[in-house]
Amino acid sequence: MEKPGLRLWQALVAILLLICLGLAAALVVIALKLETACVMDGGNKAKVNEVPQVFDSLSSAELNGVSEYMINEAGLNLVPTDKATTNSDYIYLIDLHLPTKADAKRHLDLNAAVPTRQARVVVYAGSTKEVKEYVVSPIPNPTTHRRLTVGGTNASTLWASRPVDGAELNELNKALYNITEKLYILLKESYGYWYHNCTDRCLFFPFIPRALERGQRNIFGYGTRSNLDGYYIYATSFAMVFSYTPGNSEKLELFKLYYKNQNFDTVDDLLQKYKNNLIEKENFPLPPTGPIYASPDRRSTSRETPKWSRSIPKQCEQDGSRYDVSGQHVEYMDWSFNFRMRAVSGLQLLDVKHHGERLAYEISMQDIAVYYSGTEPYNIFANYLDVSFALGNAHTPLERGVDCPENAMYFDNTFYSSSTGKPQVLPNAICLFEHNNGIPLRRHYDPSALYNGRAFYFGMPDTVIIVRAIATLWNYDYIFDYVFHQNGVIQLKVASTGYVATFPFPPNAGAELYANLVNRDFNEGANMHHHIFNFKIDFDIAGYKNCFQTWDISTENKSHPLVPGKRWIQKTLLRNTKNTEKQALVKYNFDEPKYYVVYNSKQNNSVGYNRGYRVYADGFSKKMIPEGSEIEQVISWARHQVAVTKYRESELTTASLYSQGNPYDPTVNFENFYSNDENILDEDLVVWATVGLQHMPTKEDIPVTSTPGKQLSVVLSPLNYFDEDPSMTSYDGIVKRDGD
């Protein structure tokens, strides 16, 4: 017979079990609700417009339509890109060709029909050793094409300057195979890695076009040990330079070989000297395994506590997102804008408006220069013009919760692949999200409350909308943000991260002048370099006719009004209107502080001041290369931190596909934008702003350089444009008085 006490205990256990199950279920529901509250409708994939709008990027179907039309045009004699050799005629790049600004504005402002969609097509004509560019229309079913002039440069010069593509890589790899096959023993003994018939110990060679002299085509390549995390910082001391014989029957030839800081004219010369012990030899240890050096895996530490492993804070949208997206058009609070990804120079914002009034027709990234110092041969070839590597096509997928908040909206990057000849889609390459910057946009606490007890406070968090994209150019990653604040301020931000590039560090060759040693085992040095970024701001402030002023801040020294015999010193402001383009060239000088102001001389605010915007930056940087030197002309846009030019359809960008290969005859020379010194009073004006940072890598840049201290921004700030702070209409602000 069962005891009554036992039944009681069983009943109590059952009740407790039910309570525990109920609590567990409640916790699951709460967690799900919290997760839902945090993510809500964020993390979504943006929908593409069924009918493309004027600024929308080309779709896969449109890219295919352009490609098929060009290949089927008998007079062009093009072959499919994936079947091309360097002697073929084939397509290298396809991108949207925007309508003229006038045509676009007629559509946007006057409800005229959407301008005909067109594509820019870059053709490598290997049969004649030329590069030809075409405008193809109408999209998506083209019927016509016309030649496009490229900066007054002839097509054969463009051929020598062209970016390396899949067809040329095939030739380079064949030549590389033959060279490294002969040098197998040298490579295996020196580095433990080789190239021909390699398996898990393969050398990888990035190839960089850079002419040694005007009219030449040279290609530089150096070996890194691959199949490793962070192989960028496993560079070897083995490098080579190729050249081409000129003419239609051009031939790829080895120009120079480098091994352990020594150069050789031929493979046989190097091999014989190596075998006969006539040169100093390398002996690299094998790369380490585990979370060390180049590995991104977490390192353990004795200092950690349980709290370190807790989840990071998340940003929530409890009521859902506060922005609207239609294709590539965004509306947020009083802001609206369109965006697209250009194949060459990346993210571009168009038709930027505040409260329905256009502030700028275009805001965009233009060009990036990275100039390295070092020992031969790396100092000669490691100067990069990043847009020549098709910066836009290098924008990579974004990791949710790290690259962008979990509740962001994502957009794909669709472009024409120069390797396959087909559209390629990189998913989630652009994100859009609202963000609390963690700082008040404005606030005030009345200190008299401490004495009279009458509390008074008001404030508003700085919540913004951000468009973000990240480009990965081999080792480096660039984070591009366009940030819209509720007070009318726009920030153009760029941050550098990724792996630094390492090169051999020969101390006896004076490497300490140019680099810091980052790995003693492999004798790896990380070289000093200068990142320079150029942005375009095509203002249309209260209309398209604008002016440019500097507000010059100086001092005056006058008699003290209250103390005889003493002096009174204070600052003064002088508004200095610039009449011509050359007057509007700015080389930043700390001894002469200024405001840089674009304004409308015919439109005033309520107190009579011209409505305008100020341009300033936290990273104005001086270009150290002498003006006019051979490698400087191609970045003439970096001579001035601010330049203002009259808008011209022939001066749309400082970027060029061909700058990297040939810096001596730039297809786009920014000096020509202002050399005719045109009038800029009451004209359609474009501001070109340049920022940069000097980077001398140290051990803390291993394995990967971090973003703090490497963030730059150009700020566009309203200056008498409004009658008061436009964020005063925001629901985000709070006011507290006694009793609240």
Side-chain angles (χ1 to χ4, degrees):
M1 182 175 176
E2 194 172 333
K3 295 180 179 179
L6 180 62
R7 286 199 299 271
L8 178 62
W9 276 108
Q10 287 174 336
L12 288 172
V13 169
I15 292 169
L16 286 172
L17 181 62
L18 289 172
I19 291 172
C20 289
L21 289 172
L23 288 172
L27 287 171
V28 169
V29 170
I30 291 169
L32 287 172
K33 285 184 176 179
L34 286 172
E35 178 68 17
T36 303
C38 242
V39 176
M40 292 297 291
D41 55 355
N44 288 337
K45 200 62 167 287
K47 294 180 180 179
V48 178
N49 285 323
E50 291 185 11
V51 179
Q53 301 303 300
V54 61
F55 300 125
D56 284 358
S57 303
L58 293 177
S59 66
S60 292
E62 290 176 318
L63 289 167
N64 279 327
V66 173
S67 175
E68 290 169 8
Y69 164 78
M70 294 292 284
I71 290 173
N72 291 331
E73 276 294 288
L76 296 175
N77 297 316
L78 303 185
V79 302
T81 300
D82 59 341
K83 294 179 172 57
T85 70
T86 54
N87 293 319
S88 307
D89 292 7
Y90 57 98
I91 298 171
Y92 171 72
L93 180 142
I94 302 174
D95 195 15
L96 179 68
H97 185 73
L98 286 176
T100 64
K101 182 177 179 179
D103 286 347
K105 288 175 66 176
R106 273 192 289 271
H107 163 65
L108 296 168
D109 300 342
L110 303 176
N111 292 319
V114 178
T116 300
R117 278 172 72 77
Q118 303 178 103
R120 171 197 177 194
V121 181
V122 179
V123 169
Y124 283 4
S127 62
T128 56
K129 302 298 181 265
E130 296 177 301
V131 174
K132 301 175 182 178
E133 296 200 7
Y134 297 90
V135 175
V136 177
S137 64
I139 309 299
N141 301 304
T143 56
T144 62
H145 61 276
R146 61 179 174 83
R147 280 288 294 274
L148 188 64
T149 302
V150 183
T153 307
N154 66 59
S156 58
T157 299
L158 295 181
W159 177 259
S161 311
R162 72 191 188 280
V164 173
D165 72 308
E168 188 174 21
L169 274 177
N170 288 336
E171 285 195 0
L172 289 164
N173 286 328
K174 288 176 184 177
L176 182 61
Y177 188 95
N178 293 332
I179 292 168
T180 56
E181 184 177 22
K182 292 182 180 180
L183 296 173
Y184 168 70
I185 295 299
L186 177 150
L187 296 173
K188 184 178 181 181
E189 291 179 353
S190 298
Y191 311 112
Y193 281 64
W194 54 97
Y195 185 78
H196 92 290
N197 294 342
C198 63
T199 52
D200 59 333
R201 292 190 185 179
C202 291
L203 287 175
F204 173 76
F205 288 80
F207 287 109
I208 303 139
R210 170 67 70 164
L212 289 170
E213 293 188 66
R214 183 175 277 103
Q216 290 184 354
R217 180 166 180 79
N218 299 104
I219 308 289
F220 174 66
Y222 66 98
T224 67
R225 298 194 281 184
S226 67
N227 299 326
L228 300 162
D229 288 338
Y231 60 92
Y232 320 96
I233 55 176
Y234 285 106
T236 69
S237 57
F238 180 66
M240 62 196 67
V241 181
F242 290 101
S243 63
Y244 284 87
T245 57
N248 284 351
S249 59
E250 67 176 18
K251 181 182 177 183
L252 182 67
E253 296 179 339
L254 179 65
F255 178 75
K256 193 74 71 175
L257 270 173
Y258 290 88
Y259 173 76
K260 195 171 173 57
N261 201 39
Q262 304 154 94
N263 67 75
F264 307 88
D265 293 328
T266 66
V267 175
D268 290 339
D269 181 32
L270 169 57
L271 188 58
Q272 286 302 115
K273 289 178 179 176
Y274 180 85
K275 287 181 176 179
N276 295 326
N277 296 314
L278 298 176
I279 57 174
E280 189 178 353
K281 295 182 178 182
E282 288 283 25
N283 185 18
F284 276 35
L286 290 176
T289 58
I292 190 172
Y293 189 47
S295 169
D297 294 328
R298 180 181 172 273
R299 278 63 160 160
S300 62
T301 172
S302 59
R303 302 187 306 276
E304 63 187 74
T305 70
K307 286 187 176 183
W308 289 19
S309 61
R310 292 178 181 175
S311 299
I312 63 173
K314 290 184 179 180
Q315 183 168 294
C316 301
E317 293 177 318
Q318 295 91 333
D319 301 325
S321 63
R322 303 199 297 179
Y323 56 84
D324 293 303
V325 176
S326 176
Q328 293 170 226
H329 177 77
V330 178
E331 295 186 1
Y332 170 74
M333 304 299 182
D334 280 327
W335 290 109
S336 68
F337 56 88
N338 299 273
F339 68 88
R340 64 176 284 253
M341 184 67 75
R342 289 178 297 186
V344 175
S345 51
L347 205 54
Q348 179 184 34
L349 271 55
L350 294 145
D351 196 29
V352 178
K353 294 181 177 179
H354 189 277
H355 199 59
E357 186 176 24
R358 183 176 296 114
L359 282 175
Y361 179 74
E362 177 186 351
I363 300 173
S364 62
M365 179 71 229
Q366 288 295 299
D367 208 349
I368 307 173
V370 189
Y371 276 31
Y372 282 79
S373 297
T375 55
E376 182 188 349
Y378 309 96
N379 60 330
I380 298 171
F381 293 96
N383 292 324
Y384 303 123
L385 283 305
D386 285 343
V387 298
S388 296
F389 300 95
L391 178 71
N393 295 351
H395 281 74
T396 49
L398 302 167
E399 182 65 26
R400 181 178 169 187
V402 180
D403 294 328
C404 305
E406 292 191 347
N407 57 339
M409 180 170 283
Y410 293 88
F411 305 80
D412 295 341
N413 181 16
T414 301
F415 59 92
Y416 179 85
S417 170
S418 62
S419 299
T420 65
K422 294 179 173 58
Q424 183 172 347
V425 179
L426 293 180
N428 303 338
I430 304 169
C431 69
L432 176 75
F433 58 95
E434 188 178 8
H435 179 65
N436 184 332
N437 271 338
I439 188 172
L441 178 70
R442 48 180 169 81
R443 62 94 68 190
H444 180 66
Y445 183 92
D446 186 354
S448 63
L450 300 173
Y451 309 105
N452 59 27
R454 292 193 297 272
F456 176 54
Y457 169 86
F458 64 86
M460 176 178 164
D462 186 21
T463 50
V464 299
I465 192 85
I466 299 176
V467 187
R468 172 174 294 168
I470 304 179
T472 301
L473 290 157
W474 200 51
N475 60 308
Y476 254 113
D477 298 67
Y478 293 117
I479 304 170
F480 298 103
D481 283 358
Y482 293 85
V483 185
F484 293 82
H485 299 258
Q486 292 189 54
N487 66 340
V489 169
I490 306 172
Q491 282 180 284
L492 293 56
K493 299 176 67 176
V494 59
S496 303
T497 181
Y499 285 91
V500 294
T502 63
F503 303 110
F505 186 86
N508 57 349
E512 299 89 346
L513 292 172
Y514 319 110
N516 277 322
L517 188 65
V518 293
N519 189 301
R520 191 174 300 281
D521 291 337
F522 311 126
N523 211 36
E524 300 280 2
N527 290 36
M528 176 171 55
H529 53 281
H530 190 189
H531 297 273
I532 319 175
F533 304 89
N534 183 238
F535 290 92
K536 175 184 180 181
I537 307 105
D538 179 3
F539 278 118
D540 282 353
I541 295 176
Y544 73 93
K545 290 190 175 183
N546 294 157
C547 300
F548 177 66
Q549 282 182 343
T550 58
W551 288 11
D552 303 341
I553 301 170
S554 58
T555 58
E556 63 177 5
N557 188 331
K558 55 197 302 184
S559 298
H560 198 295
L562 301 178
V563 184
K566 286 195 173 183
R567 306 296 295 175
W568 180 259
I569 301 173
Q570 63 182 354
K571 287 179 286 188
T572 62
L573 181 70
L574 176 66
R575 293 170 175 83
N576 188 348
T577 301
K578 306 300 182 180
N579 298 313
T580 67
E581 292 173 320
K582 287 186 178 180
Q583 291 179 10
L585 299 173
V586 174
K587 289 188 176 180
Y588 187 75
N589 184 348
F590 277 102
D591 293 330
E592 298 177 0
K594 301 176 189 294
Y595 272 33
Y596 308 109
V597 181
V598 177
Y599 65 98
N600 190 311
S601 67
K602 304 293 192 290
Q603 293 284 329
N604 297 338
N605 65 6
S606 61
V607 293
Y609 288 120
N610 297 138
R611 298 177 67 195
Y613 256 72
R614 176 191 176 196
V615 179
Y616 61 99
D618 62 3
F620 284 148
S621 183
K622 179 179 174 61
K623 173 184 60 60
M624 305 293 289
I625 300 168
E627 193 169 307
S629 62
E630 281 193 325
I631 61 171
E632 186 271 345
Q633 296 176 63
V634 75
I635 57 167
S636 56
W637 47 263
R639 294 174 185 171
H640 305 93
Q641 286 67 55
V642 175
V644 181
T645 62
K646 181 179 176 180
Y647 179 91
R648 284 188 173 276
E649 287 292 333
S650 59
E651 298 173 352
L652 295 177
T653 179
T654 60
S656 172
L657 271 174
Y658 313 104
S659 298
Q660 176 67 35
N662 179 15
Y664 314 111
D665 299 297
T667 55
V668 179
N669 188 341
F670 185 67
E671 189 175 3
N672 295 335
F673 286 32
Y674 57 80
S675 59
N676 52 1
D677 202 23
E678 289 193 78
N679 170 64
I680 57 170
L681 286 174
D682 295 317
E683 296 286 356
D684 192 354
L685 301 185
V686 179
V687 174
W688 311 87
T690 299
V691 292
L693 62 90
Q694 300 281 359
H695 187 194
M696 185 64 179
T698 62
K699 282 291 285 182
E700 289 77 17
D701 289 297
I702 301 299
V704 171
T705 190
S706 52
T707 56
K710 301 175 186 70
Q711 302 178 40
L712 302 168
S713 64
V714 175
V715 181
L716 314 178
S717 179
L719 189 142
N720 289 320
Y721 184 86
F722 302 102
D723 282 331
E724 66 174 357
D725 179 350
S727 73
M728 295 306 297
T729 62
S730 176
Y731 283 95
D732 296 352
I734 65 167
V735 178
K736 286 188 174 182
R737 297 183 177 89
D738 270 344
D740 291 346

